[in-house]
């Protein structure tokens, strides 16, 4: 077709399922995002870094914003982008003024960027849960003129909410994802499709000019995710994001994680993002992600951690032990939200687009369990009890000083244990 209403191009997204989908994005969505935006001011002397995979939605702004405002596009070689020191040197030498780094890449590069990156006009981040430690480091030591926090799926043309970060919330509170762009509407709806009050979580729905036409050659999936908008004009649609969010009193939004990252543990509905947020404020923790793994008949919470390299080694070693982490979390979370295992990783696995790859997280081994120094059971009674624990908890061994609940036990299993004893 011709004109911004019908003309479109295709971008690819994997979403939470990991299966690539082709999203048909209208030209009007691109124009609304990059042409004289309400969240930034582009200048003809700006130099935009083109650092993303060409099929990734970040290229929407990286390419079209400079071309539509008369600025320059500076292509960043992949080998340069993969090395934070080389990237900082390239940005300095090329005079780049606008750079996009998704949250996971910014988290990994923050330390280098603070010391080596020249001051940017705009540093734009998003695409995943914000890392408060990385952002705090940038803001305190080498802030860009504008640090933009953004949120938005590919289905709504790169991002749909923004806010300028000048300081971070105190006491480890969530970093908001901002307010809707012009010509965009956000609805936070409950399970019955009703708007939720301020402070109450619901599924985030998106409508407005940035909405994609749907998925290429996938009419059933398009109909499932792009649904009628009862709050808009007749015939208008909105996108069911599958993300959880809530309105704040100041009109901005809190991102609470994926709807499919909400799990039931022993009958309790658990939001994994809440556990991750609590872990990230523990001393010595730089990054944290929590997943629910099915182990036989039981579902267990497993936490994956990356140590804060700036923390003293002794602090990291002590504070990142399963016992210490469980003790710290117990002051912030109820017992059913405490992970049964804590896996320490050198870095979290990422997709080619720099987002967290949950499917690549390894299984937890015995060292990840919150257990005391192993001492074998003594005598036939202890050996029998240990065998029952192993059977119910799905563990290869249990020591005589281990704690049933710290190993993943809970009240329902305790009833079964008592029966078998």
């Amino acid at each position: 077709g011709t004109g911004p209403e019908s003309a479109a191009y295709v971008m690819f997204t994997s979403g939470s399922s990991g299966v690539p989908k082709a999203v048909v994005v209208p030209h009007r969505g691109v124009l609304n995002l990059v042409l004289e935006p309400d969240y930034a001011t582009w200048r003809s002397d700006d130099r935009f870094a083109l650092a993303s995979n060409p099929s990734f939605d970040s290229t929407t702004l990286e390419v079209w914003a400079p071309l539509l405002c008369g600025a320059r596009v500076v292509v960043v070689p992949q080998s340069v982008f993969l090395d934070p020191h080389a990237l900082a040197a390239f940005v300095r030498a090329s005079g780049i003024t606008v750079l996009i780094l998704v949250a996971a890449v910014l988290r990994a590069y923050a330390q280098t960027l603070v010391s080596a990156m020249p001051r940017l006009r705009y540093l734009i981040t998003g695409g995943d849960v914000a890392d408060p430690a990385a952002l705090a480091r940038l803001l305190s030591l080498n802030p860009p003129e504008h640090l933009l926090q953004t949120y938005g799926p590919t289905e709504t043309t790169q991002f749909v909410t923004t806010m300028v970060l000048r300081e971070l919330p105190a006491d480890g509170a969530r970093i908001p994802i901002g307010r809707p762009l012009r010509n965009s509407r956000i609805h936070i709806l409950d399970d019955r499709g009703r708007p939720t009050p301020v402070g109450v979580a619901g599924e985030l729905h998106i409508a407005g000019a940035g909405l994609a036409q749907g998925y290429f050659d996938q009419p059933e999936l398009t109909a499932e995710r792009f649904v009628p908008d009862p709050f808009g004009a007749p015939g208008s649609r909105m996108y069911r994001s599958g993300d959880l969010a809530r309105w704040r009193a100041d009109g901005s939004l809190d991102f609470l994680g994926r709807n499919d990252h909400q799990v039931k543990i022993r009958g309790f509905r658990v939001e994994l993002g809440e556990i991750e947020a609590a872990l990230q404020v523990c001393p010595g923790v730089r990054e944290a992600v929590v997943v629910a793994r099915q182990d036989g008949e039981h579902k267990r919470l497993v936490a994956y951690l990356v140590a804060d390299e700036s923390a003293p080694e002794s602090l990291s070693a002590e504070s990142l032990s399963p016992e210490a982490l469980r003790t710290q979390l117990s002051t912030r979370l109820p017992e059913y939200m405490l992970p049964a295992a804590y896996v320490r990783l050198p870095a979290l696995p990422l997709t080619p687009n720099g987002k967290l790859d949950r499917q690549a997280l390894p299984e937890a081994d015995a060292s990840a369990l919150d257990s005391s120094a192993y001492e074998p059971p003594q005598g036939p009674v202890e050996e029998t009890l240990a065998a029952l624990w192993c059977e119910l908890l799905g563990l290869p061994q249990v020591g005589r000083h281990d704690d049933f609940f710290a190993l993943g036990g809970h009240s329902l299993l305790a009833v079964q244990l008592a029966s078998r004893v």
Side-chain angles (χ1 to χ4, degrees):
T2 60
E5 290 300 318
S6 57
Y9 73 109
V10 172
M11 291 187 290
F12 290 89
T13 178
S14 60
S16 60
S17 65
V19 179
K21 300 186 290 290
V23 182
V24 182
V25 175
H27 286 185
R28 70 171 183 273
V30 178
L31 294 174
N32 188 68
L33 176 72
V34 303
L35 188 60
E36 298 180 354
D38 58 350
Y39 58 86
T41 303
W42 312 134
R43 301 192 315 216
S44 59
D45 62 347
D46 275 326
R47 300 170 73 93
F48 287 70
L50 174 54
S52 303
N53 184 315
S55 67
F56 188 38
D57 63 3
S58 288
T59 57
T60 306
L61 188 144
E62 290 175 332
V63 171
W64 294 111
L67 293 184
L68 289 170
C69 74
R72 294 188 182 185
V73 181
V74 181
V75 179
V76 181
Q78 185 184 29
S79 59
V80 170
F81 186 74
L82 294 177
D83 181 343
H85 294 280
L87 176 62
F90 184 89
V91 168
R92 189 185 312 106
S94 304
I96 288 171
T97 60
V98 182
L99 176 65
I100 298 176
L101 294 177
V102 296
V105 175
L106 180 60
R107 181 185 301 125
Y109 285 14
Q111 188 65 39
T112 300
L113 299 184
V114 164
S115 59
M117 182 75 79
R119 194 177 191 205
L120 298 164
R121 280 218 321 123
Y122 285 94
L123 177 57
I124 304 171
T125 188
D128 212 332
V129 178
D131 177 19
L135 295 175
R137 194 172 292 124
L138 280 174
L139 288 172
S140 62
L141 298 175
N142 187 16
E145 290 184 34
H146 307 279
L147 177 57
L148 287 183
Q149 166 76 5
T150 68
Y151 160 84
T154 304
E155 289 84 349
T156 59
T157 315
Q158 188 169 348
F159 55 81
V160 72
T161 70
T162 64
M163 72 172 297
V164 177
L165 291 177
R166 295 185 177 88
E167 59 182 6
L168 299 185
D171 302 325
R174 291 179 181 273
I175 298 173
I177 56 174
R179 295 178 171 83
L181 272 61
R182 65 178 181 186
N183 303 320
S184 300
R185 303 187 304 278
I186 300 292
H187 308 300
I188 308 297
L189 307 180
D190 64 16
D191 293 341
R192 297 184 180 181
R194 300 173 301 187
T196 61
V198 171
V200 177
E203 185 176 0
L204 194 153
H205 294 66
I206 304 165
L211 203 64
Q213 295 176 1
Y215 300 106
F216 180 73
D217 204 26
Q218 292 185 281
E220 293 182 358
L221 183 60
T222 297
E224 176 188 338
R225 306 307 298 182
F226 293 84
V227 298
D229 179 7
F231 311 101
S236 61
R237 301 176 308 151
M238 60 183 181
Y239 172 68
R240 293 180 54 211
S241 69
D243 290 333
L244 297 173
R246 64 187 172 207
W247 289 109
R248 296 162 59 99
D250 62 2
S252 62
L253 288 156
D254 273 338
F255 175 76
L256 304 176
R258 290 286 303 169
N259 202 10
D260 48 13
H261 293 165
Q262 204 179 57
V263 298
K264 273 198 171 182
I265 301 291
R266 292 138 56 191
F268 295 99
R269 189 173 295 277
V270 174
E271 170 51 56
L272 300 180
E274 295 287 347
I275 308 174
E276 293 167 354
L279 276 166
Q280 287 180 335
V281 299
C282 291
V285 175
R286 181 164 66 88
E287 302 174 67
V289 61
V290 178
V291 299
R293 291 198 177 277
Q294 194 72 34
D295 188 1
E297 299 179 359
H298 310 297
K299 188 177 290 183
R300 284 203 182 105
L301 296 174
V302 179
Y304 297 87
L305 313 159
V306 177
D308 183 358
E309 296 176 357
S310 63
E313 183 60 32
S314 58
L315 173 62
S316 297
E318 295 173 4
S319 60
L320 294 186
S321 69
E323 296 86 354
L325 287 167
R326 185 178 177 89
T327 299
Q328 293 179 71
L329 290 180
S330 65
T331 65
R332 300 186 179 96
L333 301 172
E335 185 271 335
Y336 63 86
M337 292 180 70
L338 300 180
Y342 301 82
V343 181
R344 184 168 171 176
L345 300 174
L348 296 178
L350 303 178
T351 66
N353 288 333
K355 296 187 178 182
L356 175 67
D357 187 354
R358 289 178 179 266
Q359 296 179 350
L361 293 167
E363 294 284 348
D365 58 21
S367 65
L369 295 171
D370 179 6
S371 60
S372 306
Y374 178 72
E375 185 176 331
Q378 297 180 9
V381 174
E382 287 191 11
E383 290 173 355
T384 301
L385 290 173
L388 292 175
W389 283 33
C390 289
E391 181 183 348
L392 284 172
L393 297 173
L395 300 175
Q397 68 178 24
V398 170
R400 66 193 311 256
H401 298 301
D402 286 340
D403 183 300
F404 182 77
F405 296 98
L407 294 179
H410 50 76
S411 55
L412 298 179
L413 282 180
V415 172
Q416 297 182 48
L417 177 62
S419 174
R420 298 185 188 194
V421 170

